[in-house]
């Protein structure tokens, strides 16, 4: 019985770790998209100020 419980706990931890890694990857991609948009805006603002 003890070994069975340990195996179940391991599978749960593996699934949790897998989900966490997927969530972190998605959040990283979103963060990078936001950062790239911010950089583009900064470049546009810099060009605008340079034009003036």
């Amino acid at each position: 019985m003890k070994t069975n419980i340990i195996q179940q706990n391991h599978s749960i931890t593996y699934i949790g770790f897998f989900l966490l890694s997927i969530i972190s990857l998605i959040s990283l991609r979103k963060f990078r998209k936001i950062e790239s948009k911010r950089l583009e805006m900064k470049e546009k603002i810099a060009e605008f100020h340079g034009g003036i």
Side-chain angles (χ1 to χ4, degrees), residues 1-24:
M1 281 300 289
K2 280 185 180 179
T3 52
N4 194 12
I5 289 164
I6 289 164
Q7 282 177 347
Q8 280 182 345
N9 282 346
H10 272 292
S11 64
I12 288 163
T13 49
Y14 280 129
I15 290 163
F17 189 72
F18 187 66
L19 283 172
L20 269 175
S21 60
I22 289 168
I23 290 162
S24 60

